[in-house]
Amino acid sequence: MAQTLRQSDPDFEAKFAAFLAGKREASEDVDRAVREIIDGVRKNGDKALIDYSRRFDRIDLEKTGIAVTEAEIDAAVAAAPQETVQALELARDRIRAHHERQMPVDDRYTDPLGVELGSRWTAVESVGLYVPGGTASYPSSVLMNAVPAKVAGVERIVMVVPSPDGVLNPLVLVAARLAGVSEIYRVGGAQAVAALAFGTQTIASVVKIVGPGNAYVAAAKRLVFGTVGIDMIAGPSEVLVVADRDNDPDWIAADLLAQAEHDTAAQSILMTDDEDFARSVEEAVERQLRTLPRAATAAASWRDFGAVILVKDFETALPLINRIAAEHLELAIADPEALLPKIRNAGAIFLGKYTPEVIGDYVGGSNHVLPTARSARFSSGLSVLDYIKRTSILKLGPDQLRALGPAAIALARAEGLDAHGRSVAIRLNL
Amino acid sequence: MAQTLRQSDPDFEAKFAAFLAGKREASEDVDRAVREIIDGVRKNGDKALIDYSRRFDRIDLEKTGIAVTEAEIDAAVAAAPQETVQALELARDRIRAHHERQMPVDDRYTDPLGVELGSRWTAVESVGLYVPGGTASYPSSVLMNAVPAKVAGVERIVMVVPSPDGVLNPLVLVAARLAGVSEIYRVGGAQAVAALAFGTQTIASVVKIVGPGNAYVAAAKRLVFGTVGIDMIAGPSEVLVVADRDNDPDWIAADLLAQAEHDTAAQSILMTDDEDFARSVEEAVERQLRTLPRAATAAASWRDFGAVILVKDFETALPLINRIAAEHLELAIADPEALLPKIRNAGAIFLGKYTPEVIGDYVGGSNHVLPTARSARFSSGLSVLDYIKRTSILKLGPDQLRALGPAAIALARAEGLDAHGRSVAIRLNL
């Protein structure tokens, strides 16, 4: 049973602040182990990958090879249910169409002084995509990470995925093929991250590493950051469902459970202005849990981190919504468009009663890699911008240097940087 | 005397790779000290700021106050040389004009199925700007960090700057006023970062922290990341000057020294196709060093990290330029525009002989906060994008859910996420 917070209670602010400050993850200190693994891969290359995979994944890469072969991918595609392949294709096409709209255009212009300025975007040359093994090995995440890279123009997309006991999720291979992944290696953990960052005999290094992973993978990404770029370090998933009484409690309960089934550290929050409706949703949650295969996970998440927030009305609740800054925000209310302009912090917003968040996980077209743990206050979901970078361009002729030079010299002198001043003055015979 | 690398030498590739792999900074391990300071500020608030400032900056904040007063800023503005204020105003206006062009537009559209999608940009609510004290307390950096925040629409821009022995650079206060900084506090170091991240009685917390600082500041930013957003952690500055023989060696030498005078760990690289020209530039460097106030710093940088790279021609040098991925790249060659489209990795490019990099430091209009240490391969300079974040928007009606729902259900089942499938199926009576 989730906790309930009432906006009308006199101590609501203190309770709400404590709720926001709550941590859902114990931070494992794995840095030392990860440092050793990275050093091992840097020193011994493929041999280290073979050793670690034998130890952690109980697989003999000397037999299987490190690279997944085209024949293996062909076999996975042939064996996959037609319905699933078609659903992945639909998702791929919709993700591509949406992300193509995100490509910024280069800007080159001349200002009134005749100075030419510009911003030019270019793709990162190569990207490494980490895909977890086991139950969290999701083909949809392969699409969400790889398709925007492809749209951005990344030439080389390298996937790594652990193969515990030799098992690979065939749908992950199918998704990789559909998304245009260039190379796949059956390695995981910190050793895979190290291989992507520093290269081995088999795996050439990449420029940036993206994708979710466990504590070891996250620590390895942090440690190789600088040598390569990394994406955000994602925390457990969360949803805030804002719903009025005119909803079927079973629909809303299903949405809360869809988030809760991900992880015991996931968080589902219901915000409503009607206590009776809240109780009906809670009952529906308990009822649906009985028939849910992942009930143990979902029940723990709901009990430990779930919450019902009872508000006076949705207008006065806006500051609370913005403080929660949810990864996923459902607005299951009569007029979601009226609230939308006032919502500032959210990873993604799902409008109306026929837009369950799950659509965004798979086939909406927008990205499902979104900022967690209130970081939507300062960061964005994954997009083509994560796979490109901007170069500034500046061009002056003699006239422009004469016009701007004296101000540059004045500022250089004010900052005590004489060589800076000289670099301009010498060109102007000053 | 800088080292020389010749593309024609048989062992060039090995030498160039070693040159690229060279580290210019000893990483100080200050994490433990910084953790204690952060804990101190979280526990004791203003009192901790007062204690640490007494200890590290030899200043009594109980006498001076933590906040810099409007009267102090007025006095700084009144006392500043008119020429410097005007130069700062010119820089501010040019930075503003350039960065206004960077604002992305919101996108809201309906796809052929009738699904509504969108990307909406909103400003970060508040930003903390760290400004170093002492000789690296640059008014130009205040403009470069604060003006894009203002353009982005950040409501609250909070500046912190240490005041060692009670001294504040008055031009930093002037720049803050011109840029529209909302609040200024005379605290620095890890304690200032902690105050910005967690708040004290006097300083309300912010959502994101930007700006350069020493090892303590960088470590503190890394440690508070997650609670707040942070910008990139900048390393020492660098320039790659690509120059043909038709340059005045003194101009090019001045450009190399402008970079070298920043820091003994700064790096200046000359790439040319003419060995005689290279020798003339080296002689000009030695000559100019004699009259440079910061000669000790510049000479050490040039000796330890400077380099002359002799290439066959600039076309075949392109892969080297892209591998160096310089923060600043000057193209002092006859036809820089011909090379430009093939250059992929650089923070900023300065075209032609009348565009010394120093113009970009101050009055060009583009930002001088740029990716260092080869990170231009995967990241960009500071821009309005660092002060805004994107929210995805998705809206389906019953028809759209009927069209897309079955594919979402198929993928949810394939991933073993039954509650995901149910959240869609329950709305379709499936």
Side-chain angles (χ1 to χ4, degrees), chain A residues 98 108-109 120 140 261 291 337 340 343-344 346 349 389 391-392 395 415 420 422, chain B residues 98 108-109 120 140 261 291 337 340 343-344 346 389 391-392 395 415 420 422:
Chain A
H98 180 69
R108 182 94 187 251
Y109 65 100
R120 198 186 50 165
S140 60
E261 78 172 336
T291 57
E337 298 280 359
L340 185 61
I343 292 170
R344 183 145 174 179
I349 304 177
K389 63 259 177 358
T391 298
S392 298
K395 186 180 187 180
E415 293 187 350
H420 279 62
R422 185 187 281 165
Chain B
H98 180 69
R108 181 94 187 250
Y109 65 100
R120 197 186 51 165
S140 59
E261 76 172 338
T291 57
E337 297 281 359
L340 185 61
I343 292 170
R344 182 146 174 179
K389 63 259 175 0
T391 298
S392 297
K395 186 181 188 180
E415 294 187 349
H420 279 62
R422 183 187 283 167

mmCIF file of all heavy atoms in Angstrom, chain A residues 98 108-109 120 140 261 291 337 340 343-344 346 349 389 391-392 395 415 420 422, chain B residues 98 108-109 120 140 261 291 337 340 343-344 346 389 391-392 395 415 420 422:
data_model
loop_
_atom_site.group_PDB
_atom_site.id
_atom_site.type_symbol
_atom_site.label_atom_id
_atom_site.label_comp_id
_atom_site.label_asym_id
_atom_site.label_seq_id
_atom_site.Cartn_x
_atom_site.Cartn_y
_atom_site.Cartn_z
ATOM 1 N N HIS A 98 10.137 10.807 -36.031
ATOM 2 C CA HIS A 98 10.119 11.851 -35.000
ATOM 3 C C HIS A 98 11.500 12.477 -34.807
ATOM 4 O O HIS A 98 11.640 13.700 -34.688
ATOM 5 C CB HIS A 98 9.617 11.278 -33.671
ATOM 6 C CG HIS A 98 9.571 12.297 -32.565
ATOM 7 N ND1 HIS A 98 8.674 13.342 -32.556
ATOM 8 C CD2 HIS A 98 10.339 12.459 -31.455
ATOM 9 C CE1 HIS A 98 8.867 14.091 -31.476
ATOM 10 N NE2 HIS A 98 9.874 13.573 -30.798
ATOM 11 N N ARG A 108 24.934 30.032 -40.770
ATOM 12 C CA ARG A 108 26.106 30.824 -41.170
ATOM 13 C C ARG A 108 25.582 32.161 -41.629
ATOM 14 O O ARG A 108 24.694 32.216 -42.487
ATOM 15 C CB ARG A 108 26.854 30.103 -42.304
ATOM 16 C CG ARG A 108 28.125 30.788 -42.798
ATOM 17 C CD ARG A 108 29.369 30.262 -42.116
ATOM 18 N NE ARG A 108 30.546 31.056 -42.491
ATOM 19 C CZ ARG A 108 31.522 30.611 -43.280
ATOM 20 N NH1 ARG A 108 31.494 29.378 -43.748
ATOM 21 N NH2 ARG A 108 32.546 31.392 -43.576
ATOM 22 N N TYR A 109 26.087 33.241 -41.058
ATOM 23 C CA TYR A 109 25.545 34.561 -41.381
ATOM 24 C C TYR A 109 26.605 35.640 -41.226
ATOM 25 O O TYR A 109 27.653 35.415 -40.610
ATOM 26 C CB TYR A 109 24.337 34.865 -40.487
ATOM 27 C CG TYR A 109 24.664 34.995 -39.017
ATOM 28 C CD1 TYR A 109 24.814 36.243 -38.406
ATOM 29 C CD2 TYR A 109 24.849 33.859 -38.223
ATOM 30 C CE1 TYR A 109 25.121 36.358 -37.059
ATOM 31 C CE2 TYR A 109 25.163 33.963 -36.879
ATOM 32 C CZ TYR A 109 25.302 35.212 -36.298
ATOM 33 O OH TYR A 109 25.619 35.316 -34.969
ATOM 34 N N ARG A 120 28.012 25.081 -36.756
ATOM 35 C CA ARG A 120 27.925 23.944 -37.664
ATOM 36 C C ARG A 120 27.829 22.665 -36.862
ATOM 37 O O ARG A 120 28.578 22.447 -35.917
ATOM 38 C CB ARG A 120 29.165 23.904 -38.554
ATOM 39 C CG ARG A 120 28.939 23.049 -39.789
ATOM 40 C CD ARG A 120 30.209 22.917 -40.573
ATOM 41 N NE ARG A 120 31.300 22.528 -39.701
ATOM 42 C CZ ARG A 120 32.456 22.064 -40.147
ATOM 43 N NH1 ARG A 120 32.685 21.981 -41.426
ATOM 44 N NH2 ARG A 120 33.396 21.702 -39.301
ATOM 45 N N SER A 140 13.310 -2.840 -27.477
ATOM 46 C CA SER A 140 12.837 -1.464 -27.657
ATOM 47 C C SER A 140 13.936 -0.460 -27.307
ATOM 48 O O SER A 140 14.063 0.582 -27.948
ATOM 49 C CB SER A 140 11.586 -1.208 -26.812
ATOM 50 O OG SER A 140 11.864 -1.398 -25.440
ATOM 51 N N GLU A 261 6.248 -2.421 -12.349
ATOM 52 C CA GLU A 261 6.755 -3.771 -12.657
ATOM 53 C C GLU A 261 8.207 -3.746 -13.154
ATOM 54 O O GLU A 261 8.862 -4.785 -13.199
ATOM 55 C CB GLU A 261 5.863 -4.479 -13.678
ATOM 56 C CG GLU A 261 6.052 -4.034 -15.115
ATOM 57 C CD GLU A 261 5.285 -4.911 -16.123
ATOM 58 O OE1 GLU A 261 4.988 -6.076 -15.824
ATOM 59 O OE2 GLU A 261 4.967 -4.379 -17.214
ATOM 60 N N THR A 291 -2.986 -10.932 -10.571
ATOM 61 C CA THR A 291 -2.807 -11.685 -11.821
ATOM 62 C C THR A 291 -1.584 -11.233 -12.613
ATOM 63 O O THR A 291 -1.468 -11.517 -13.796
ATOM 64 C CB THR A 291 -4.051 -11.518 -12.722
ATOM 65 O OG1 THR A 291 -4.240 -10.120 -12.954
ATOM 66 C CG2 THR A 291 -5.289 -12.098 -12.075
ATOM 67 N N GLU A 337 -4.681 20.195 -22.181
ATOM 68 C CA GLU A 337 -4.019 21.287 -22.912
ATOM 69 C C GLU A 337 -4.003 22.578 -22.094
ATOM 70 O O GLU A 337 -3.119 23.419 -22.288
ATOM 71 C CB GLU A 337 -4.710 21.538 -24.259
ATOM 72 C CG GLU A 337 -4.685 20.374 -25.223
ATOM 73 C CD GLU A 337 -3.360 20.222 -25.974
ATOM 74 O OE1 GLU A 337 -2.438 21.037 -25.780
ATOM 75 O OE2 GLU A 337 -3.254 19.256 -26.767
ATOM 76 N N LEU A 340 -0.998 22.172 -19.768
ATOM 77 C CA LEU A 340 0.298 21.941 -20.428
ATOM 78 C C LEU A 340 1.257 23.138 -20.425
ATOM 79 O O LEU A 340 2.436 22.982 -20.076
ATOM 80 C CB LEU A 340 0.038 21.460 -21.867
ATOM 81 C CG LEU A 340 1.260 21.049 -22.688
ATOM 82 C CD1 LEU A 340 2.005 19.890 -22.040
ATOM 83 C CD2 LEU A 340 0.841 20.667 -24.106
ATOM 84 N N ILE A 343 3.318 23.593 -17.255
ATOM 85 C CA ILE A 343 4.191 22.528 -16.765
ATOM 86 C C ILE A 343 5.583 22.735 -17.327
ATOM 87 O O ILE A 343 5.774 22.811 -18.537
ATOM 88 C CB ILE A 343 3.634 21.149 -17.139
ATOM 89 C CG1 ILE A 343 2.345 20.933 -16.349
ATOM 90 C CG2 ILE A 343 4.649 20.054 -16.820
ATOM 91 C CD1 ILE A 343 1.576 19.743 -16.790
ATOM 92 N N ARG A 344 6.523 22.852 -16.429
ATOM 93 C CA ARG A 344 7.872 23.235 -16.842
ATOM 94 C C ARG A 344 8.831 22.061 -16.804
ATOM 95 O O ARG A 344 9.707 21.942 -17.648
ATOM 96 C CB ARG A 344 8.338 24.313 -15.881
ATOM 97 C CG ARG A 344 9.670 24.850 -16.219
ATOM 98 C CD ARG A 344 9.688 26.303 -15.874
ATOM 99 N NE ARG A 344 10.987 26.870 -16.041
ATOM 100 C CZ ARG A 344 11.248 28.146 -15.825
ATOM 101 N NH1 ARG A 344 10.279 28.948 -15.433
ATOM 102 N NH2 ARG A 344 12.443 28.622 -15.991
ATOM 103 N N ALA A 346 9.379 18.097 -16.868
ATOM 104 C CA ALA A 346 8.939 16.715 -17.087
ATOM 105 C C ALA A 346 9.744 16.159 -18.245
ATOM 106 O O ALA A 346 10.070 16.896 -19.187
ATOM 107 C CB ALA A 346 7.448 16.661 -17.397
ATOM 108 N N ILE A 349 5.445 14.198 -21.532
ATOM 109 C CA ILE A 349 4.072 14.408 -21.067
ATOM 110 C C ILE A 349 3.124 13.656 -21.992
ATOM 111 O O ILE A 349 3.251 13.723 -23.221
ATOM 112 C CB ILE A 349 3.718 15.913 -21.040
ATOM 113 C CG1 ILE A 349 4.726 16.672 -20.167
ATOM 114 C CG2 ILE A 349 2.299 16.115 -20.520
ATOM 115 C CD1 ILE A 349 4.506 18.179 -20.120
ATOM 116 N N LYS A 389 27.582 17.308 -32.452
ATOM 117 C CA LYS A 389 28.196 18.383 -31.682
ATOM 118 C C LYS A 389 28.356 19.588 -32.568
ATOM 119 O O LYS A 389 28.404 19.464 -33.784
ATOM 120 C CB LYS A 389 29.547 17.946 -31.089
ATOM 121 C CG LYS A 389 30.568 17.602 -32.153
ATOM 122 C CD LYS A 389 30.719 16.117 -32.355
ATOM 123 C CE LYS A 389 31.661 15.709 -33.456
ATOM 124 N NZ LYS A 389 32.354 16.602 -34.304
ATOM 125 N N THR A 391 30.226 23.141 -33.797
ATOM 126 C CA THR A 391 31.469 23.898 -33.900
ATOM 127 C C THR A 391 31.127 25.347 -34.229
ATOM 128 O O THR A 391 30.329 25.600 -35.130
ATOM 129 C CB THR A 391 32.359 23.316 -35.023
ATOM 130 O OG1 THR A 391 32.692 21.962 -34.691
ATOM 131 C CG2 THR A 391 33.638 24.117 -35.182
ATOM 132 N N SER A 392 31.709 26.295 -33.492
ATOM 133 C CA SER A 392 31.516 27.711 -33.791
ATOM 134 C C SER A 392 32.452 28.132 -34.902
ATOM 135 O O SER A 392 33.579 27.640 -34.987
ATOM 136 C CB SER A 392 31.828 28.575 -32.571
ATOM 137 O OG SER A 392 30.967 28.273 -31.530
ATOM 138 N N LYS A 395 34.877 34.546 -38.670
ATOM 139 C CA LYS A 395 35.735 34.987 -39.769
ATOM 140 C C LYS A 395 35.693 36.512 -39.889
ATOM 141 O O LYS A 395 34.642 37.099 -40.126
ATOM 142 C CB LYS A 395 35.250 34.364 -41.084
ATOM 143 C CG LYS A 395 36.150 34.635 -42.286
ATOM 144 C CD LYS A 395 35.535 33.962 -43.507
ATOM 145 C CE LYS A 395 36.438 34.029 -44.727
ATOM 146 N NZ LYS A 395 35.787 33.368 -45.874
ATOM 147 N N GLU A 415 42.262 42.115 -18.168
ATOM 148 C CA GLU A 415 42.412 40.787 -17.558
ATOM 149 C C GLU A 415 43.878 40.411 -17.346
ATOM 150 O O GLU A 415 44.174 39.291 -16.934
ATOM 151 C CB GLU A 415 41.689 39.740 -18.425
ATOM 152 C CG GLU A 415 40.173 39.937 -18.431
ATOM 153 C CD GLU A 415 39.405 38.822 -19.146
ATOM 154 O OE1 GLU A 415 40.041 37.990 -19.812
ATOM 155 O OE2 GLU A 415 38.172 38.814 -19.020
ATOM 156 N N HIS A 420 47.442 38.038 -25.235
ATOM 157 C CA HIS A 420 46.151 38.132 -25.906
ATOM 158 C C HIS A 420 46.050 39.471 -26.639
ATOM 159 O O HIS A 420 45.682 39.531 -27.811
ATOM 160 C CB HIS A 420 44.996 38.022 -24.900
ATOM 161 C CG HIS A 420 44.656 36.623 -24.504
ATOM 162 N ND1 HIS A 420 45.543 35.796 -23.870
ATOM 163 C CD2 HIS A 420 43.508 35.897 -24.648
ATOM 164 C CE1 HIS A 420 44.961 34.623 -23.637
ATOM 165 N NE2 HIS A 420 43.728 34.660 -24.112
ATOM 166 N N ARG A 422 48.430 41.395 -27.600
ATOM 167 C CA ARG A 422 49.417 41.501 -28.678
ATOM 168 C C ARG A 422 48.959 40.787 -29.950
ATOM 169 O O ARG A 422 49.220 41.247 -31.067
ATOM 170 C CB ARG A 422 50.742 40.902 -28.202
ATOM 171 C CG ARG A 422 51.857 41.063 -29.205
ATOM 172 C CD ARG A 422 53.100 40.307 -28.772
ATOM 173 N NE ARG A 422 53.853 41.025 -27.756
ATOM 174 C CZ ARG A 422 54.808 40.448 -27.023
ATOM 175 N NH1 ARG A 422 55.093 39.165 -27.168
ATOM 176 N NH2 ARG A 422 55.460 41.158 -26.131
ATOM 177 N N HIS B 98 24.460 36.708 -30.979
ATOM 178 C CA HIS B 98 24.798 35.386 -31.533
ATOM 179 C C HIS B 98 23.996 34.280 -30.847
ATOM 180 O O HIS B 98 23.491 33.360 -31.498
ATOM 181 C CB HIS B 98 26.288 35.111 -31.378
ATOM 182 C CG HIS B 98 26.709 33.776 -31.915
ATOM 183 N ND1 HIS B 98 26.698 33.487 -33.262
ATOM 184 C CD2 HIS B 98 27.110 32.634 -31.299
ATOM 185 C CE1 HIS B 98 27.091 32.235 -33.454
ATOM 186 N NE2 HIS B 98 27.342 31.699 -32.279
ATOM 187 N N ARG B 108 5.342 21.099 -32.629
ATOM 188 C CA ARG B 108 4.117 20.352 -32.300
ATOM 189 C C ARG B 108 3.449 20.013 -33.621
ATOM 190 O O ARG B 108 3.211 20.906 -34.440
ATOM 191 C CB ARG B 108 3.211 21.213 -31.412
ATOM 192 C CG ARG B 108 1.910 20.562 -30.973
ATOM 193 C CD ARG B 108 2.011 19.891 -29.613
ATOM 194 N NE ARG B 108 0.812 19.140 -29.287
ATOM 195 C CZ ARG B 108 -0.061 19.491 -28.338
ATOM 196 N NH1 ARG B 108 0.141 20.569 -27.620
ATOM 197 N NH2 ARG B 108 -1.127 18.743 -28.104
ATOM 198 N N TYR B 109 3.172 18.757 -33.835
ATOM 199 C CA TYR B 109 2.631 18.361 -35.135
ATOM 200 C C TYR B 109 1.762 17.117 -35.001
ATOM 201 O O TYR B 109 1.808 16.417 -33.983
ATOM 202 C CB TYR B 109 3.767 18.113 -36.126
ATOM 203 C CG TYR B 109 4.658 16.935 -35.776
ATOM 204 C CD1 TYR B 109 4.518 15.692 -36.399
ATOM 205 C CD2 TYR B 109 5.645 17.066 -34.808
ATOM 206 C CE1 TYR B 109 5.330 14.621 -36.065
ATOM 207 C CE2 TYR B 109 6.467 16.000 -34.468
ATOM 208 C CZ TYR B 109 6.307 14.773 -35.103
ATOM 209 O OH TYR B 109 7.105 13.724 -34.756
ATOM 210 N N ARG B 120 9.003 20.378 -26.632
ATOM 211 C CA ARG B 120 8.838 21.719 -26.088
ATOM 212 C C ARG B 120 10.047 22.078 -25.235
ATOM 213 O O ARG B 120 10.481 21.273 -24.409
ATOM 214 C CB ARG B 120 7.572 21.780 -25.240
ATOM 215 C CG ARG B 120 7.125 23.204 -25.005
ATOM 216 C CD ARG B 120 5.964 23.233 -24.064
ATOM 217 N NE ARG B 120 6.270 22.459 -22.868
ATOM 218 C CZ ARG B 120 5.558 22.536 -21.750
ATOM 219 N NH1 ARG B 120 4.506 23.303 -21.686
ATOM 220 N NH2 ARG B 120 5.897 21.828 -20.704
ATOM 221 N N SER B 140 35.266 38.565 -18.763
ATOM 222 C CA SER B 140 34.760 38.013 -20.025
ATOM 223 C C SER B 140 34.053 36.672 -19.788
ATOM 224 O O SER B 140 33.061 36.359 -20.442
ATOM 225 C CB SER B 140 35.896 37.841 -21.042
ATOM 226 O OG SER B 140 36.892 36.980 -20.542
ATOM 227 N N GLU B 261 50.005 31.683 -22.477
ATOM 228 C CA GLU B 261 50.102 32.502 -21.259
ATOM 229 C C GLU B 261 49.009 32.186 -20.240
ATOM 230 O O GLU B 261 49.081 32.606 -19.093
ATOM 231 C CB GLU B 261 50.072 33.995 -21.603
ATOM 232 C CG GLU B 261 48.701 34.549 -21.964
ATOM 233 C CD GLU B 261 48.695 36.081 -22.105
ATOM 234 O OE1 GLU B 261 49.582 36.747 -21.549
ATOM 235 O OE2 GLU B 261 47.783 36.593 -22.794
ATOM 236 N N THR B 291 59.529 39.946 -23.831
ATOM 237 C CA THR B 291 58.825 41.154 -23.382
ATOM 238 C C THR B 291 57.423 40.831 -22.842
ATOM 239 O O THR B 291 56.582 41.723 -22.730
ATOM 240 C CB THR B 291 58.672 42.150 -24.554
ATOM 241 O OG1 THR B 291 57.988 41.492 -25.621
ATOM 242 C CG2 THR B 291 60.028 42.622 -25.039
ATOM 243 N N GLU B 337 38.170 28.246 -46.469
ATOM 244 C CA GLU B 337 36.816 27.728 -46.745
ATOM 245 C C GLU B 337 36.869 26.376 -47.445
ATOM 246 O O GLU B 337 35.939 25.579 -47.335
ATOM 247 C CB GLU B 337 36.023 28.717 -47.611
ATOM 248 C CG GLU B 337 35.774 30.069 -46.974
ATOM 249 C CD GLU B 337 34.627 30.068 -45.970
ATOM 250 O OE1 GLU B 337 34.002 29.010 -45.769
ATOM 251 O OE2 GLU B 337 34.385 31.130 -45.377
ATOM 252 N N LEU B 340 37.337 23.843 -44.618
ATOM 253 C CA LEU B 340 36.295 23.862 -43.581
ATOM 254 C C LEU B 340 35.315 22.688 -43.619
ATOM 255 O O LEU B 340 35.070 22.057 -42.578
ATOM 256 C CB LEU B 340 35.547 25.198 -43.645
ATOM 257 C CG LEU B 340 34.490 25.457 -42.569
ATOM 258 C CD1 LEU B 340 35.105 25.457 -41.180
ATOM 259 C CD2 LEU B 340 33.778 26.780 -42.829
ATOM 260 N N ILE B 343 36.510 19.478 -41.959
ATOM 261 C CA ILE B 343 36.912 19.465 -40.548
ATOM 262 C C ILE B 343 35.714 19.095 -39.702
ATOM 263 O O ILE B 343 34.672 19.735 -39.768
ATOM 264 C CB ILE B 343 37.494 20.821 -40.143
ATOM 265 C CG1 ILE B 343 38.822 21.018 -40.877
ATOM 266 C CG2 ILE B 343 37.706 20.876 -38.637
ATOM 267 C CD1 ILE B 343 39.373 22.390 -40.748
ATOM 268 N N ARG B 344 35.888 18.049 -38.926
ATOM 269 C CA ARG B 344 34.752 17.492 -38.211
ATOM 270 C C ARG B 344 34.808 17.793 -36.726
ATOM 271 O O ARG B 344 33.777 18.011 -36.103
ATOM 272 C CB ARG B 344 34.768 15.981 -38.435
ATOM 273 C CG ARG B 344 33.634 15.275 -37.812
ATOM 274 C CD ARG B 344 33.268 14.127 -38.675
ATOM 275 N NE ARG B 344 32.259 13.302 -38.063
ATOM 276 C CZ ARG B 344 31.757 12.236 -38.649
ATOM 277 N NH1 ARG B 344 32.189 11.877 -39.845
ATOM 278 N NH2 ARG B 344 30.830 11.521 -38.065
ATOM 279 N N ALA B 346 36.223 20.128 -33.788
ATOM 280 C CA ALA B 346 36.867 21.335 -33.262
ATOM 281 C C ALA B 346 35.830 22.091 -32.451
ATOM 282 O O ALA B 346 34.641 22.074 -32.786
ATOM 283 C CB ALA B 346 37.370 22.218 -34.401
ATOM 284 N N LYS B 389 15.828 22.766 -21.461
ATOM 285 C CA LYS B 389 15.655 21.320 -21.568
ATOM 286 C C LYS B 389 14.374 21.047 -22.335
ATOM 287 O O LYS B 389 13.477 21.886 -22.359
ATOM 288 C CB LYS B 389 15.641 20.641 -20.194
ATOM 289 C CG LYS B 389 14.476 21.083 -19.327
ATOM 290 C CD LYS B 389 14.868 22.099 -18.313
ATOM 291 C CE LYS B 389 13.747 22.687 -17.490
ATOM 292 N NZ LYS B 389 12.385 22.364 -17.589
ATOM 293 N N THR B 391 10.999 18.769 -23.337
ATOM 294 C CA THR B 391 9.982 17.821 -22.882
ATOM 295 C C THR B 391 9.279 17.257 -24.115
ATOM 296 O O THR B 391 8.873 18.006 -25.002
ATOM 297 C CB THR B 391 8.948 18.525 -21.981
ATOM 298 O OG1 THR B 391 9.615 19.027 -20.817
ATOM 299 C CG2 THR B 391 7.850 17.561 -21.546
ATOM 300 N N SER B 392 9.152 15.926 -24.173
ATOM 301 C CA SER B 392 8.409 15.300 -25.274
ATOM 302 C C SER B 392 6.921 15.338 -24.970
ATOM 303 O O SER B 392 6.515 15.216 -23.814
ATOM 304 C CB SER B 392 8.810 13.837 -25.434
ATOM 305 O OG SER B 392 10.157 13.744 -25.765
ATOM 306 N N LYS B 395 0.119 12.606 -27.708
ATOM 307 C CA LYS B 395 -1.332 12.655 -27.481
ATOM 308 C C LYS B 395 -2.051 11.771 -28.491
ATOM 309 O O LYS B 395 -1.973 12.013 -29.696
ATOM 310 C CB LYS B 395 -1.816 14.098 -27.610
ATOM 311 C CG LYS B 395 -3.288 14.298 -27.258
ATOM 312 C CD LYS B 395 -3.629 15.773 -27.450
ATOM 313 C CE LYS B 395 -5.010 16.138 -26.955
ATOM 314 N NZ LYS B 395 -5.265 17.581 -27.173
ATOM 315 N N GLU B 415 8.821 -8.494 -24.349
ATOM 316 C CA GLU B 415 9.778 -8.096 -23.314
ATOM 317 C C GLU B 415 9.390 -8.626 -21.930
ATOM 318 O O GLU B 415 10.038 -8.311 -20.936
ATOM 319 C CB GLU B 415 9.922 -6.566 -23.294
ATOM 320 C CG GLU B 415 10.556 -6.026 -24.581
ATOM 321 C CD GLU B 415 10.880 -4.532 -24.551
ATOM 322 O OE1 GLU B 415 10.438 -3.840 -23.607
ATOM 323 O OE2 GLU B 415 11.598 -4.081 -25.461
ATOM 324 N N HIS B 420 2.672 -3.615 -18.717
ATOM 325 C CA HIS B 420 2.744 -2.684 -19.840
ATOM 326 C C HIS B 420 1.665 -3.016 -20.869
ATOM 327 O O HIS B 420 0.931 -2.148 -21.334
ATOM 328 C CB HIS B 420 4.126 -2.758 -20.519
ATOM 329 C CG HIS B 420 5.194 -1.978 -19.832
ATOM 330 N ND1 HIS B 420 5.603 -2.257 -18.556
ATOM 331 C CD2 HIS B 420 5.949 -0.919 -20.249
ATOM 332 C CE1 HIS B 420 6.571 -1.407 -18.208
ATOM 333 N NE2 HIS B 420 6.794 -0.587 -19.223
ATOM 334 N N ARG B 422 -1.037 -4.659 -20.402
ATOM 335 C CA ARG B 422 -2.387 -4.474 -19.861
ATOM 336 C C ARG B 422 -2.815 -3.011 -19.918
ATOM 337 O O ARG B 422 -3.992 -2.704 -20.150
ATOM 338 C CB ARG B 422 -2.421 -4.973 -18.416
ATOM 339 C CG ARG B 422 -3.790 -4.900 -17.785
ATOM 340 C CD ARG B 422 -3.742 -5.249 -16.312
ATOM 341 N NE ARG B 422 -3.638 -6.689 -16.089
ATOM 342 C CZ ARG B 422 -3.327 -7.231 -14.897
ATOM 343 N NH1 ARG B 422 -3.061 -6.451 -13.871
ATOM 344 N NH2 ARG B 422 -3.259 -8.535 -14.768
#
